[in-house]
Amino acid sequence: MAPGKTNFSSHEFPMASGASPFSYRTNSAYQRRVVRATKQLMHAVVMEKLQVENGSIFQITDMGCSIGPNTFISVKNIVESVELKFQLINTQKKHIQVLFNDHAYNDFNTLFASLPSDKSYYAHAAIGSFYDRVFPDKSIHIVNCSYGLHFLSRVPKNVENRESLAWNKGKVYYSHSKEDVISEYSKQYEKDMECFLNARAQEVVPGGLVFITVPARPNGTPHSKVIYNMLADILGSCFLHLVKQGDIEEEEVDSFNIPVYITSPIEVEEAIKRNGSFSIEKLEILSKETSPINGLTAKDASVHIRAITEGLIEEKFGTKILDKLFQLHEQKLEDAYLDLISGEAISLFIALKRKTNL
Amino acid sequence: MAPGKTNFSSHEFPMASGASPFSYRTNSAYQRRVVRATKQLMHAVVMEKLQVENGSIFQITDMGCSIGPNTFISVKNIVESVELKFQLINTQKKHIQVLFNDHAYNDFNTLFASLPSDKSYYAHAAIGSFYDRVFPDKSIHIVNCSYGLHFLSRVPKNVENRESLAWNKGKVYYSHSKEDVISEYSKQYEKDMECFLNARAQEVVPGGLVFITVPARPNGTPHSKVIYNMLADILGSCFLHLVKQGDIEEEEVDSFNIPVYITSPIEVEEAIKRNGSFSIEKLEILSKETSPINGLTAKDASVHIRAITEGLIEEKFGTKILDKLFQLHEQKLEDAYLDLISGEAISLFIALKRKTNL
């Protein structure tokens, strides 16, 4: 893919920007738990596995960085580990450059306005989808992608095709739908992972590292038993409620789907092996306790889902239904609370190393 | 200067952002003439002077890029010349990375939203003032800074000090003030140029190029005879008008100054020689015809000055006086039009090459 590609699919997630009370920034506090949980894991991999080559510039990228503050915490953790590693192996002086990556519609103004004043790295932004090439060949030493890869690059085509067996009529999400729909989402995830891994395989130096953290589904657990998915499915029922009340058309709901997929350890492992460019250095399941959605009130959980989906919904339905939709959502989450807390909510941390013998 | 510095002086110019009808974006059409005029000059220098070293990444930065579209035109011109040069010398395949630089408060969202879809380079943003370090040592091959270096890093301190001989009472700009004020502005310019050149000397690879374009004053011409300065001085008289009408306090005007300085060819040359790290490969005076302010109507000229100063004025006086101030400004420009068109309006193009024998 040429670096020139900047026409992103309209289905990429425009996270609510800094000004909204439902903004990703305000609500990402929950995701910080995961960032903290991965700190020690990343530190160990940097110390044990990172191969430091010659050259005076060391480049780290946080892909799908959104608007902060989580990206600053992740980056600080990685930079501290890297600096310690440099000290221990007594390498030549290196300049650390951090490239904050997200697509062009991310609110970089908010991100830049809150860059830490005491940072010890050069701060750059790199524009583009992480499913495409973003950097030159062999220019990146560490990639971090935290809570990004469950966002698909697009809604699977057949899911919105009335002629297809996989048409997702009456739903806005895959987890509680028929097998054909789940299968389309799963295939799209496979394609997207291959795009991500293939692009990174070219960009990361041999011996360089890729850290991935994603919400996940335990192997063998049905998609419908994952809390994240249950929250999204309940949002779907709220859309149908608005159809009944005449606020929106049934056809609009039939042609709207949320491009998120919750993977499992086995699917991630298969994707990495299929790609073949990386060795798996660590694959660790983070418990429900570290999950962003663990212990949320119905209100908080609804606000969390709103922060992630608001941009997409607005694009399809305008702003007028938003408040009503999420009031309803909060209420339904309240009613379903006992069900919800019995669901699964693990995250997955994976550390990859770019193979050197390719 | 450590790369961590992100607390910019409040006197840096926050260009009006994309949404304002007086935005830099809308009004920068005038500046495009200069960009076009420098195209051939830059092309010749790239072809004749650029030394292409080994390495697969070629980095170009546009410093003080603002929000476009001029930066995209400058960058396109430079990239085309560089690609042609690569072809001619048949060098190894190189990835071109363009780093759009401006301070953290620039409206990067507007910039990114209009990145050309057919660009042949990797687009990054690099955050920071060009008077500080922005990049690692020896990492940049070409720097472009177009219509940026007439913005000083700050208002000279003594100009706002009541105890100083250089106190700029009753004025908001230096050009029509007493010699002490002019001298303080000139000293600040010298300091700033040294900061700019010293930072670039470390960042640019030996044999790499720096292109500078600035509005300028012919050698020996008084500051008061430069159109740019005349426009700003007339703005000062509008502030006094508002004082008389009771809209603002005299003390507020006494403590407000516009940190812009119009240099001359001889001053630029001296600054570069004093710094010592660069050879001057070209120093070309661009005629009044190519000037951004040539041939503007009074209204257009006032809008032009508003786009540049609005952020500063708002910071000091709030938004309430803006419309009244610039209505008055337009009217006074209309009255002074015959005077104005007799003024000077050259620009200066300078091409520098990082010395290799240091």
Side-chain angles (χ1 to χ4, degrees):
Chain A
M1 171 68 63
K5 184 176 176 296
T6 52
N7 289 321
F8 299 102
S9 149
S10 64
H11 291 298
E12 285 192 37
F13 274 80
M15 295 290 189
S17 77
S20 159
F22 301 104
S23 83
Y24 179 75
R25 187 180 168 77
T26 317
N27 295 294
S28 61
Y30 312 122
Q31 296 192 7
R32 225 170 296 170
R33 269 185 249 162
V34 179
V35 172
R36 287 208 194 100
T38 56
K39 178 176 174 175
Q40 292 310 317
L41 295 168
M42 295 196 292
H43 182 73
V45 176
V46 166
M47 298 318 271
E48 289 161 28
K49 304 292 183 176
L50 176 69
Q51 284 174 236
V52 181
E53 27 140 51
N54 289 330
S56 63
I57 298 173
F58 190 92
Q59 296 210 109
I60 299 167
T61 179
D62 192 46
M63 305 200 83
C65 63
S66 188
I67 59 171
N70 288 345
T71 185
F72 300 127
I73 305 172
S74 296
V75 160
K76 186 169 185 282
N77 291 343
I78 295 171
V79 166
E80 283 175 0
S81 297
V82 164
E83 284 175 337
L84 194 58
K85 172 99 182 186
F86 290 168
Q87 272 178 35
L88 284 177
I89 61 171
N90 204 6
T91 183
Q92 67 172 127
K93 181 174 168 24
K94 287 181 186 290
H95 296 273
I96 298 178
Q97 235 170 206
V98 174
L99 301 132
F100 294 93
N101 159 261
D102 216 316
H103 54 76
Y105 305 119
N106 185 49
D107 183 2
F108 280 99
N109 290 352
T110 298
L111 182 79
F112 294 154
S114 48
L115 269 173
S117 58
D118 61 345
K119 64 187 170 49
S120 62
Y121 51 81
Y122 293 93
H124 295 185
I127 310 309
S129 161
F130 50 56
Y131 292 123
D132 294 326
R133 285 293 299 275
V134 180
F135 306 105
D137 289 356
K138 296 183 186 160
S139 61
I140 302 292
H141 300 83
I142 298 183
V143 173
N144 184 53
C145 185
S146 184
Y147 264 64
L149 282 165
H150 53 313
F151 297 119
L152 300 174
S153 69
R154 54 165 297 151
V155 173
K157 223 189 279 180
N158 286 333
V159 161
E160 292 178 354
N161 173 9
R162 290 174 169 269
E163 312 298 321
S164 166
L165 286 174
W167 183 34
N168 199 19
K169 180 171 169 48
K171 299 266 183 194
V172 303
Y173 193 58
Y174 77 99
S175 59
H176 293 63
S177 295
K178 53 190 173 186
E179 202 46 54
D180 289 319
V181 175
I182 296 178
S183 162
E184 288 291 320
Y185 265 78
S186 153
K187 278 190 275 177
Q188 184 64 46
Y189 173 76
E190 280 179 23
K191 272 188 225 161
D192 285 344
M193 271 302 277
E194 177 53 25
C195 289
F196 176 85
L197 291 168
N198 190 37
R200 297 303 85 72
Q202 294 169 72
E203 295 167 356
V204 174
V205 299
L209 303 174
V210 177
F211 298 131
I212 296 170
T213 315
V214 273
R217 171 176 63 94
N219 289 332
T221 299
H223 287 280
S224 59
K225 298 292 178 213
V226 174
I227 297 182
Y228 215 87
N229 292 342
M230 293 156 96
L231 298 174
D233 185 61
I234 290 172
L235 186 63
S237 71
C238 300
F239 276 104
L240 293 186
H241 199 108
L242 294 194
V243 169
K244 277 195 200 116
Q245 299 199 336
D247 293 314
I248 49 177
E249 298 295 323
E250 198 177 341
E251 287 71 28
E252 290 179 285
V253 177
D254 291 344
S255 60
F256 175 74
N257 288 280
I258 301 172
V260 163
Y261 181 79
I262 305 299
T263 190
S264 62
I266 210 165
E267 284 170 281
V268 174
E269 232 182 304
E270 279 171 6
I272 293 159
K273 286 184 175 153
R274 226 174 7 245
N275 171 268
S277 303
F278 296 92
S279 57
I280 299 179
E281 301 297 338
K282 214 177 261 293
L283 194 152
E284 192 96 11
I285 290 171
L286 307 176
S287 70
K288 192 173 176 174
E289 283 62 47
T290 64
S291 163
I293 51 176
N294 180 51
L296 295 192
T297 63
K299 184 176 181 60
D300 288 346
S302 180
V303 165
H304 181 78
I305 296 297
R306 179 168 180 163
I308 291 168
T309 58
E310 187 172 35
L312 279 174
I313 297 171
E314 225 180 284
E315 200 180 276
K316 178 81 181 184
F317 299 93
T319 53
K320 64 184 191 307
I321 65 161
L322 279 172
D323 285 338
K324 191 169 177 184
L325 183 73
F326 282 97
Q327 271 156 24
L328 200 58
H329 189 236
E330 182 188 333
Q331 191 185 312
K332 290 201 182 207
L333 292 191
E334 200 76 74
D335 297 342
Y337 212 63
L338 279 176
D339 263 0
L340 280 167
I341 54 169
S342 72
E344 293 283 357
I346 62 165
S347 291
L348 207 56
F349 171 80
I350 310 121
L352 306 177
K353 181 166 161 177
R354 178 72 175 91
K355 291 181 183 169
T356 50
N357 55 349
L358 289 177
Chain B
M1 173 64 69
K5 184 176 177 294
T6 54
N7 289 320
F8 299 103
S9 148
S10 65
H11 290 298
E12 286 192 37
F13 274 80
M15 295 289 189
S17 77
S20 159
F22 301 104
S23 83
Y24 180 75
R25 188 180 169 78
T26 317
N27 296 296
S28 61
Y30 313 121
Q31 296 192 9
R32 225 170 299 170
R33 271 185 248 161
V34 179
V35 172
R36 287 208 195 99
T38 55
K39 179 178 174 173
Q40 292 310 316
L41 295 168
M42 293 196 294
H43 181 73
V45 176
V46 167
M47 298 319 270
E48 290 161 29
K49 304 291 182 176
L50 176 68
Q51 283 174 237
V52 181
E53 27 140 50
N54 288 331
S56 63
I57 299 173
F58 190 92
Q59 296 209 108
I60 298 167
T61 180
D62 191 46
M63 304 200 84
C65 62
S66 189
I67 58 170
N70 287 346
T71 184
F72 300 126
I73 306 172
S74 295
V75 160
K76 186 170 185 280
N77 291 344
I78 295 172
V79 166
E80 283 174 2
S81 297
V82 165
E83 283 174 338
L84 195 57
K85 172 97 183 188
F86 290 167
Q87 271 177 37
L88 285 177
I89 62 170
N90 203 9
T91 180
Q92 66 172 127
K93 180 173 167 25
K94 287 182 187 290
H95 296 273
I96 298 178
Q97 238 172 204
V98 174
L99 300 133
F100 294 94
N101 158 262
D102 216 317
H103 54 75
Y105 306 118
N106 185 49
D107 183 2
F108 279 99
N109 290 353
T110 298
L111 181 79
F112 294 155
S114 49
L115 269 172
S117 58
D118 61 345
K119 65 188 170 48
S120 61
Y121 50 82
Y122 292 93
H124 295 184
I127 310 309
S129 161
F130 51 54
Y131 292 124
D132 292 328
R133 284 295 298 274
V134 179
F135 306 105
D137 289 355
K138 296 182 186 162
S139 61
I140 302 293
H141 300 82
I142 298 183
V143 173
N144 185 53
C145 185
S146 184
Y147 264 65
L149 282 166
H150 54 312
F151 297 120
L152 299 175
S153 69
R154 54 164 299 150
V155 173
K157 222 189 281 181
N158 286 333
V159 161
E160 292 180 353
N161 173 9
R162 292 175 167 268
E163 312 300 321
S164 165
L165 286 174
W167 184 34
N168 199 18
K169 181 172 170 45
K171 299 267 183 193
V172 303
Y173 194 59
Y174 76 99
S175 60
H176 292 63
S177 296
K178 55 191 171 185
E179 202 48 54
D180 289 319
V181 174
I182 297 177
S183 161
E184 288 290 320
Y185 265 78
S186 152
K187 277 190 274 177
Q188 185 64 45
Y189 173 76
E190 280 179 22
K191 272 189 224 161
D192 285 343
M193 272 301 277
E194 178 52 25
C195 288
F196 176 84
L197 292 168
N198 190 37
R200 299 301 86 71
Q202 294 169 72
E203 295 167 355
V204 174
V205 299
L209 303 174
V210 176
F211 298 132
I212 296 169
T213 316
V214 272
R217 172 175 62 93
N219 289 333
T221 300
H223 287 279
S224 59
K225 297 293 178 215
V226 174
I227 297 183
Y228 213 88
N229 292 342
M230 293 155 97
L231 297 174
D233 184 62
I234 290 172
L235 185 63
S237 71
C238 300
F239 276 104
L240 293 186
H241 199 107
L242 294 194
V243 169
K244 274 193 202 119
Q245 299 198 338
D247 295 313
I248 49 177
E249 298 296 323
E250 197 177 343
E251 287 72 28
E252 290 180 285
V253 177
D254 291 343
S255 60
F256 175 74
N257 289 280
I258 300 172
V260 163
Y261 181 78
I262 305 298
T263 189
S264 61
I266 211 166
E267 284 170 283
V268 174
E269 233 181 303
E270 279 171 4
I272 293 159
K273 288 186 175 154
R274 223 173 9 242
N275 170 270
S277 303
F278 296 92
S279 58
I280 299 177
E281 301 297 338
K282 212 176 261 296
L283 194 154
E284 191 97 10
I285 291 171
L286 308 175
S287 71
K288 191 172 176 176
E289 283 63 45
T290 64
S291 163
I293 50 177
N294 180 51
L296 296 192
T297 63
K299 184 178 181 60
D300 287 347
S302 181
V303 166
H304 181 78
I305 296 296
R306 179 168 180 164
I308 291 168
T309 58
E310 188 173 35
L312 278 174
I313 296 171
E314 225 178 284
E315 199 181 277
K316 177 84 183 183
F317 299 93
T319 53
K320 62 184 194 306
I321 64 162
L322 278 171
D323 286 339
K324 190 169 179 183
L325 182 74
F326 282 98
Q327 272 157 23
L328 201 59
H329 188 235
E330 182 188 333
Q331 190 186 310
K332 290 203 180 203
L333 292 191
E334 200 77 73
D335 297 342
Y337 212 63
L338 279 178
D339 263 359
L340 279 166
I341 53 170
S342 72
E344 293 284 357
I346 62 164
S347 292
L348 206 56
F349 171 81
I350 310 121
L352 305 178
K353 181 164 161 178
R354 178 72 175 92
K355 291 181 184 169
T356 51
N357 54 350
L358 290 178

